[in-house]
Amino acid sequence: MIFADKIIEERKKNGWSQEELAEKLGVSRQAVSKWESAGSVPDLQKVIQLANVFGVSTDYLLKDEIEHEEGTPTAYVESEQNESLRKVSMEEANEFLEIRGKGATSVANGTSLCILSPVFLIILETLSENPRFNLSEGLADGLGCVILLGMIAIAVFMFITYGIKAGSTENLKEIAFETEYGVTGMVKEKKRLYEGTFTRGIALGVVFCIMAVVPVIIAGAMETNDYISVLCLGALFSLVAVGANMIIRVSIVRSSYDILLQEGDYTQSEKKARKKIDAVSGAYWCLVTAGYLGWSFWTMKWNITWIVWPVAGVLFAAIASITSAIVKTDE
């Protein structure tokens, strides 16, 4: 049971409203409401007051591991803490989760725009091949490239905006830190409640990505004309964009909890390995982008060169795994 839940339980056990508890402590009802929603934590003096008012020990209130046993707090031996580590407060943790939650939407939508960016170029090039539409190949290529670059520019704006907002808290992914009392319990509870949403998001995202090829398969089997085939290709991009959006959105939120709990990919050993991987990935994606743009502008076959991105993504996963294995072996 986390600190916030203990306050709620003890308050209700005594039959007090938030206003009545606030009056006993000499604080506002809003302050009590924030404590109970894990939006903030009281200072040490208020914690002592809470313990006296409820008739419990401060250890019971502050330590998530301690529960009541016949009305008496259990004994708890506190482990030694490294005072040199950065402390993350309840307010910082909530701010971090809020920024990452909003940023998940921006990153997911930006990624979807990048995936969809070649669709209009492909459609316009196909239409230019038919005299009925009175659309020259040069105009189709130019307009398609403008739309493509415009969508990528919007996506980059989203990425940069999120990066700036998250800049002050993103270092938690890289450094060792400790959380103040109540933070770990609050994060674990939110992570537990989010598990269902995460599972559904990943499952649906994978389903959309798998089903994305169905329109293209149907078009090939029915031997449809070029226009229907292009529309089916557009449907493929759209379904992939939706699937990727779902996967990225829930993955960023889920990873926020792992970062604060220093679990999964954010343990101390994984953080050390990630520093090496980040150095490799920076150079890798710069080369991939340069290669993509160079090939695309040289051949002007944007409807083909997009294949660079899925291939590069698969290769990067392999490179990241190899780099991580080498780093851990060296350690």
Side-chain angles (χ1 to χ4, degrees):
M1 188 183 298
I2 66 175
F3 178 75
D5 292 336
K6 291 178 182 178
I7 296 178
I8 296 172
E9 182 183 79
E10 294 299 324
R11 176 175 62 78
K12 291 182 176 179
K13 189 181 295 182
N14 286 278
W16 299 330
S17 65
Q18 289 184 341
E19 290 83 356
E20 290 172 323
L21 177 59
E23 185 177 347
K24 293 177 183 294
L25 298 172
V27 298
S28 66
R29 186 199 65 79
Q30 288 78 10
V32 174
S33 178
K34 284 186 177 181
W35 299 342
E36 293 187 353
S37 64
S40 67
V41 292
D43 58 33
L44 185 57
Q45 187 60 41
K46 293 302 179 188
V47 172
I48 295 173
Q49 281 186 262
L50 280 167
N52 292 333
V53 167
F54 291 145
V56 298
S57 72
T58 54
D59 274 350
Y60 166 68
L61 291 176
L62 299 180
K63 305 301 180 183
D64 299 333
E65 294 85 353
I66 300 180
E67 304 291 343
H68 270 309
E69 289 185 0
E70 298 179 357
T72 304
T74 60
Y76 177 79
V77 179
E78 185 175 359
S79 61
E80 295 182 358
Q81 295 184 344
N82 187 345
E83 296 297 331
S84 64
L85 294 180
R86 174 184 169 181
K87 302 283 187 179
V88 176
S89 66
M90 183 70 77
E91 289 79 4
E92 287 179 301
N94 278 307
E95 180 187 9
F96 176 77
L97 293 175
E98 182 180 359
I99 291 174
R100 294 271 298 184
K102 292 179 179 178
T105 301
S106 296
V107 173
N109 290 343
T111 304
S112 295
L113 284 175
C114 290
I115 295 172
L116 291 171
S117 61
V119 172
F120 292 99
L121 177 61
I122 296 171
I123 292 174
L124 289 172
E125 284 189 342
T126 303
L127 294 178
S128 68
E129 295 175 359
N130 192 322
R132 289 186 303 171
F133 293 100
N134 195 27
L135 181 66
S136 67
E137 184 177 350
L139 179 59
D141 289 341
L143 185 58
C145 287
V146 168
I147 296 174
L148 181 147
L149 294 175
M151 294 177 71
I152 292 177
I154 294 172
V156 171
F157 174 80
M158 291 179 174
F159 298 149
I160 294 175
T161 302
Y162 165 65
I164 293 173
K165 289 181 179 178
S168 59
T169 56
E170 283 296 287
N171 63 343
L172 293 180
K173 295 192 299 185
E174 303 171 358
I175 65 172
F177 61 87
E178 288 180 342
T179 54
E180 294 184 356
Y181 63 83
V183 174
T184 298
M186 178 272 290
V187 176
K188 285 183 177 179
E189 180 66 11
K190 288 190 174 185
K191 180 180 179 181
R192 183 186 68 80
L193 295 174
Y194 192 74
E195 283 300 317
T197 302
F198 173 75
T199 302
R200 287 191 297 272
I202 293 294
L204 287 173
V206 171
V207 168
F208 270 101
C209 290
I210 293 174
M211 295 301 293
V213 298
V214 171
V216 177
I217 293 175
I218 293 175
M222 297 179 63
E223 297 182 356
T224 57
N225 58 43
D226 291 343
Y227 308 110
I228 299 298
S229 297
V230 168
L231 291 177
C232 289
L233 185 60
L236 180 149
F237 278 97
S238 299
L239 290 172
V240 171
V242 171
N245 192 297
M246 290 181 174
I247 293 171
I248 292 169
R249 192 186 300 261
V250 297
S251 296
I252 290 177
V253 175
R254 167 65 182 275
S255 68
S256 303
Y257 303 129
D258 288 340
I259 290 171
L260 289 175
L261 296 173
Q262 300 189 84
E263 296 177 346
D265 293 333
Y266 300 95
T267 60
Q268 297 303 320
S269 59
E270 289 293 337
K271 287 179 180 180
K272 292 178 181 178
R274 185 172 289 102
K275 290 181 180 179
K276 302 291 181 65
I277 295 173
D278 287 345
V280 172
S281 66
Y284 175 83
W285 287 112
C286 284
L287 290 173
V288 170
T289 303
Y292 167 71
L293 293 175
W295 182 22
S296 300
F297 281 111
W298 181 264
T299 62
M300 292 306 293
K301 294 182 179 179
W302 297 82
N303 59 325
I304 297 176
T305 57
W306 64 269
I307 197 66
V308 165
W309 297 110
V311 172
V314 173
L315 288 176
F316 178 72
I319 292 171
S321 299
I322 294 171
T323 304
S324 179
I326 293 173
V327 170
K328 290 179 180 179
T329 301
D330 291 342
E331 292 178 354

